[in-house]
Amino acid sequence: MAEFSIIEQYFTRPFTQQDDIGIGDDSAILTPPTNQQLVICTDTLVAGRHFPLETSAHAVGWKSVAVNLSDIAAMGAKPHSILLALSLPNIDHDWLQGFSQGLFDCCDRFGVALIGGDTTQSAHLTITVTALGYIESGQAICRSGARAGDYIVVSGQVGDAAYGLQHLGGALQSRLDYPTPRCELGQTLKGLASSMIDVSDGLAQDLDHILKASNVGAKIFLDQLPLDPAVQALPNQQKWQYALAGGDDYELCFTISPQNYEKLLQQQLNVKITMIGLITQTTDLIFEHDGQNHPVQFHGYQHFA
């Protein structure tokens, strides 16, 4: 089967967005809305590295999109479209059917269109998705805005995906295979959050990116981490390892002033949020347990380990 036959059979849909051009030409054409900025990100998933080899094709398709939409959400932007670069060891029609269905299921859930990309043969299954979104000019939420006294808040639960990876077949595997990008929450936080990041490589490591960009420190209250009951039941060091260093949760971690946090709580949110710490003037990252500083060492996901 030729490349264009694969594209036509599995990845072509009618494109109805006014003034835009999707699959069918050498490049897609987008018309940015007035007074908005384009937000772009890309992520690569490698079989056996970023997902277990036995992961269903549908889940791989969903996750390939979701992890990118999570980055768009972390800027407070609204996702618009994606590009797909797919490298296949061989042409497996059952796998392609499941993968494309999972990809489009995630796209449909968040109002996103597939507008182009590339397919080729490779020794390893590799999926690269580039996501595009829009945000009002000057409204993007960056990592560099945290200030001393801000609350540190996280959406959903942390540690689920890492636990699911170690307990394949259990209830939390779905959180590993089908992460939920917090697109609606990200857009709600425009004008409220002072900084934000998505939790992909582990909460502690990702929060540290905010601290370095903002030149501040933080205190994390270990007893306030939002954990699933299965994770909460584990010994402290094990559950904290999952929650702080496990990664793959794709929740949003953001900082927000106490006043704006109260405003946020007045809104109807589609996901639970939890205040887990405070931004401090020093540049240290401190963990507190039972009211006492608790020295712990956690290292998140390493892309070249």
Side-chain angles (χ1 to χ4, degrees):
M1 175 178 278
E3 173 190 7
F4 300 113
S5 297
I6 295 175
I7 294 170
E8 182 177 359
Q9 181 171 347
Y10 296 107
F11 299 107
T12 300
R13 277 185 169 188
F15 194 69
T16 58
Q17 300 194 43
Q18 187 174 5
D19 297 326
D20 292 345
I21 297 176
I23 294 173
D25 285 272
D26 287 324
S27 299
I29 300 175
L30 303 180
T31 304
T34 304
N35 298 322
Q36 297 204 13
Q37 293 175 296
L38 180 63
V39 180
I40 309 170
C41 67
T42 192
D43 262 303
T44 295
L45 301 183
V46 179
R49 174 69 175 174
H50 297 100
F51 56 88
L53 295 175
E54 61 270 25
T55 304
S56 75
H58 187 277
V60 175
W62 174 282
K63 189 169 186 175
S64 298
V65 178
V67 301
N68 282 274
L69 300 190
S70 182
D71 281 332
I72 297 291
M75 303 298 292
K78 181 179 180 179
H80 175 272
S81 49
I82 63 166
L83 300 160
L84 168 68
L86 182 61
S87 299
L88 298 166
N90 52 68
I91 298 172
D92 182 330
H93 292 284
D94 289 340
W95 189 92
L96 281 166
Q97 180 62 45
F99 173 81
S100 60
Q101 187 62 57
L103 179 142
F104 283 123
D105 283 349
C106 191
C107 286
D108 292 344
R109 168 66 177 80
F110 296 98
V112 169
L114 174 63
I115 60 172
D118 187 38
T119 59
T120 189
Q121 187 171 26
S122 170
H124 300 284
L125 172 61
T126 305
I127 306 116
T128 298
V129 170
T130 298
L132 303 94
Y134 293 114
I135 192 168
E136 295 84 355
S137 296
Q139 291 295 303
I141 306 171
C142 300
R143 301 176 181 179
S144 54
R147 298 293 179 265
D150 283 352
Y151 291 165
I152 302 167
V153 183
V154 69
S155 65
Q157 297 177 169
V158 288
D160 289 2
Y163 183 93
L165 179 61
Q166 297 301 317
H167 300 81
L168 295 177
L172 289 182
Q173 184 179 341
S174 63
R175 290 275 286 140
L176 171 71
D177 291 344
Y178 292 95
T180 303
R182 303 302 182 183
C183 298
E184 184 176 326
L185 176 62
Q187 295 169 67
T188 299
L189 288 167
K190 288 183 297 185
L192 294 176
S194 54
S195 68
M196 186 153 59
I197 193 169
D198 78 321
V199 181
S200 55
D201 295 334
L203 177 59
Q205 180 168 294
D206 289 323
L207 174 61
D208 195 53
H209 295 319
I210 287 179
L211 304 184
K212 285 182 167 57
S214 300
N215 195 32
V216 293
K219 174 175 284 191
I220 298 296
F221 307 124
L222 294 171
D223 300 323
Q224 293 181 203
L225 294 172
L227 307 177
D228 186 88
V231 180
Q232 183 67 56
L234 298 171
N236 283 341
Q237 289 298 324
Q238 189 175 2
K239 70 184 179 186
W240 294 338
Q241 175 69 28
Y242 281 134
L244 295 170
D248 247 11
D249 286 314
Y250 298 100
E251 297 293 348
L252 293 180
C253 176
F254 58 95
T255 62
I256 188 170
S257 69
Q259 296 82 3
N260 283 347
Y261 185 63
E262 291 302 317
K263 293 179 183 178
L264 181 63
L265 293 179
Q266 302 307 311
Q267 303 197 36
Q268 293 289 330
L269 304 178
N270 66 348
V271 61
K272 178 183 72 173
I273 59 171
T274 306
M275 196 276 278
I276 62 167
L278 296 169
I279 294 294
T280 61
Q281 289 185 338
T282 68
T283 56
D284 299 323
L285 176 55
I286 298 171
F287 300 95
E288 183 180 291
H289 171 54
D290 281 342
Q292 301 293 323
N293 288 351
H294 191 82
V296 290
Q297 291 290 331
F298 295 112
H299 300 286
Y301 181 78
Q302 300 299 312
H303 294 266
F304 289 91

